[in-house]
Amino acid sequence: MSHKKQTLGEFIIENQSSFQFSSGELSSLINSIRLAAKVVNHEVNKAGLVDIIGAVGDTNIQGEDQQKLDVYANEKFIQTLTNRNIVCGIASEEEDDFIAINSQDENHQNKYIVLIDPLDGSSNIDVNVSVGTIFSIYRRVTPVGTPVTIDDFLQKGSEQVAAGYVVYGTSTMLVYTTGDGVNGFTLNPAIGSFYLSHPDMEFSVDGNIYSVNEGNYIHFPQGIKNYIKYCQLEEEDRPYTSRYIGSLVSDFHRNMIKGGIYLYPQSSKNPNGKLRLLYECNPMAFLAEQANGKASDGFTRTMDVEPTELHQRVPFICGSKNMVDKAEEFMRNVY
């Protein structure tokens, strides 16, 4: 029996009672992310048609060449979030420092901060591979009425009030959680609305996909090397399938739907890992846990890591619970 699909806007209104804070503010926040995502989606989809591909020439704080589309997405998300007059601060992976925002009516009355990776996996743009946006939302910890400080951004992942991502792929999806499960919405480009297409998304407890850049194998810690060999053994339900896109949003999204594990461990090249705790790992960890999965650095729950700097990097293992448990077991058994 066919039934009318619920739009993202309708879903937010219907479910706002499950959000522990002011529901109107959350609606406005998610709506501004939805709006920016639609604008960025439009640009991503025409990236091959115009000269928007390639590096701008600037190098971001991470030492990576910025793609033109990175810059565009960064500006669009910051502009949209600022205009909605709902956040008091934004931190972006593309910016050296956080941005303090004063509310338009009274001084610094807004209560939320957003951390964002505006275009994750952007090195994939010019080969037409899916990229995404990752966002993380917290309530400020400094007093309302004062400007935000670094303390508002350096909160543990367990304090997040919402997190999600947009994947710009063969279809464009917005997936988010407010701590009450994970839901996915697919954009109908003809009318510009997101519709609930994946309600109550969950990782299977076991999976048979492992996602890791095996080109870095030689640089990995012994525990990860041992786990990869375990994934490749021919016994019981193994060997597992190896799938690695190199775009965190896409790899996470596939593993959540199909069941699997994503690994970006520390290495001799990146002793602290490469992914950013605040823009990538914490939001993905929140989504994973809300979807019956697990996320850690191999020893510690990701959302329990105490942040010390804005662009902090951490090792990241995330996905189906039993697979993450097994990887952690291999990490522990080496030391």
Side-chain angles (χ1 to χ4, degrees), residues 16 22 26 28 52 118 131 138 157 174 176 192-193 200 209 228 255 258 273 275 280 302:
Q16 53 191 14
S22 163
L26 177 75
S28 187
I52 204 160
V131 291
Y138 294 81
L174 190 153
Y176 83 102
S193 292
D200 303 315
I209 297 172
I228 290 172
N255 288 354
K258 304 242 182 199
L275 299 181
E280 296 170 311
T302 299

Side-chain angles (χ1 to χ4, degrees), residues 102-321:
N102 197 351
S103 49
Q104 290 158 12
D105 43 3
E106 296 171 73
N107 288 338
H108 304 288
Q109 291 302 302
N110 297 342
K111 301 180 187 70
Y112 293 92
I113 61 122
V114 175
L115 295 114
I116 196 152
D117 182 350
L119 211 59
D120 185 75
S122 50
S123 60
N124 285 315
I125 291 163
D126 49 1
V127 290
N128 213 6
V129 170
S130 297
V131 291
T133 295
I134 307 172
F135 61 91
S136 174
I137 300 170
Y138 294 81
R139 278 175 72 84
R140 63 182 302 172
V141 290
T142 52
V144 171
T146 63
V148 288
T149 73
I150 189 70
D151 294 340
D152 292 304
F153 297 92
L154 299 184
Q155 298 188 55
K156 287 200 293 197
S158 54
E159 300 302 312
Q160 289 173 100
V161 296
Y165 60 81
V166 184
V167 58
Y168 309 101
T170 43
S171 60
T172 294
M173 277 187 72
L174 190 153
V175 176
Y176 83 102
T177 182
T178 56
D180 189 33
V182 176
N183 291 281
F185 300 81
T186 300
L187 179 65
N188 177 342
I191 53 177
S193 292
F194 283 95
Y195 287 93
L196 179 61
S197 53
H198 293 63
D200 303 315
M201 297 176 82
E202 282 199 344
F203 279 94
S204 54
V205 181
D206 292 291
N208 62 359
I209 297 172
Y210 71 101
S211 310
V212 62
N213 183 351
E214 289 185 64
N216 288 330
Y217 180 88
I218 194 75
H219 302 291
F220 289 155
Q222 193 58 47
I224 294 292
K225 287 180 178 172
N226 294 349
Y227 178 69
I228 290 172
K229 287 300 168 212
Y230 164 85
C231 291
Q232 295 168 342
L233 283 178
E234 191 166 11
E235 54 183 51
E236 295 171 17
D237 54 343
R238 281 168 286 136
Y240 294 149
T241 301
S242 172
R243 289 281 182 271
Y244 187 70
I245 299 168
S247 167
L248 172 61
V249 168
S250 302
D251 279 309
F252 179 95
H253 187 68
R254 180 204 51 244
N255 288 354
M256 180 158 60
I257 290 170
K258 304 242 182 199
I261 185 170
Y262 175 91
L263 307 109
Y264 209 122
Q266 64 268 54
S267 66
S268 49
K269 288 199 299 185
N270 296 299
N272 300 318
K274 192 171 179 217
L275 299 181
R276 288 66 165 185
L277 174 63
L278 297 177
Y279 308 102
E280 296 170 311
C281 303
N282 272 338
M284 290 311 202
F286 189 21
L287 286 159
E289 289 191 11
Q290 284 296 315
N292 196 38
K294 185 173 179 180
S296 82
D297 64 3
F299 302 97
T300 308
R301 177 186 180 223
T302 299
M303 293 205 291
D304 285 340
V305 175
E306 195 79 60
T308 54
E309 53 183 280
L310 212 48
H311 296 286
Q312 185 171 340
R313 299 173 191 257
V314 289
F316 192 53
I317 300 174
C318 137
S320 296
K321 249 183 200 150

